Amino acid sequence: MAELTLDVARKILDAAFAKATELKLKPLVVTILDARGVLKLAAAQDGTSLMRAEIAHGKAYGALAMGLGSRALYQRAQEQAYFIDAVNTLAKGALVPVPGGVLILDGTTLLGAVGVSGDTSDNDEACAMAGIQAAGLKANAG
């Protein structure tokens, strides 16, 4: 697979929401970007709070922009806060460096990223990972 198709993005989305239902999480927003950072698919469960779509997008965008899952960005922010702040300034505030942004890989080929927001960051990440794996792809959370 050379690119992330809409059908695959839908599988990721459906499986991520299924995982949220299984875990009885708060309502989520799932955003899926292709390797260029272009929106492929985004959806919000009923009852999500304001800003969840922007946060989910920022998690996915940050992972793509830095080539690292957002868990790694979170760790980097702990160790080098000035660096992540500077990068986020360059990105006009578009990065959200907390878990929940996961790279989508087909072998070693980057296809895009998933960002999830709505519950704890760890739970958001678990849903993103479940979605990617259900589509038969490799997830890199950092």
Side-chain angles (χ1 to χ4, degrees), residues 7-137:
D7 285 342
V8 171
R10 285 184 178 136
K11 288 178 187 174
I12 293 170
L13 177 79
D14 291 345
F17 282 153
K19 185 68 169 178
T21 299
E22 173 192 327
L23 297 175
K24 299 180 180 168
L25 303 183
K26 294 177 184 174
L28 301 181
V29 172
V30 175
T31 298
I32 303 169
L33 306 178
D34 69 15
R36 302 169 300 146
V38 174
L39 179 65
K40 197 68 174 182
L41 192 60
Q45 292 180 306
D46 295 338
T48 58
S49 59
L50 293 175
M51 298 288 300
R52 289 296 168 194
E54 292 86 351
I55 295 166
H57 187 276
K59 289 179 179 185
Y61 181 81
L64 277 176
M66 297 297 292
L68 303 165
S70 63
R71 179 170 295 279
L73 294 179
Y74 173 76
Q75 291 297 331
R76 187 109 184 241
Q78 303 302 307
E79 298 163 7
Q80 296 178 312
Y82 291 115
F83 175 75
I84 294 297
D85 185 53
V87 170
N88 207 9
T89 298
L90 291 171
K92 298 178 175 61
L95 276 66
V96 179
V98 297
V102 181
L103 296 174
I104 306 165
L105 301 162
D106 185 11
T108 59
T109 303
L110 177 66
L111 299 181
V114 177
V116 178
S117 181
D119 204 271
T120 67
S121 293
D122 288 340
N123 285 337
D124 293 346
E125 179 183 271
C127 292
M129 303 257 316
I132 295 166
Q133 291 166 351
L137 298 167

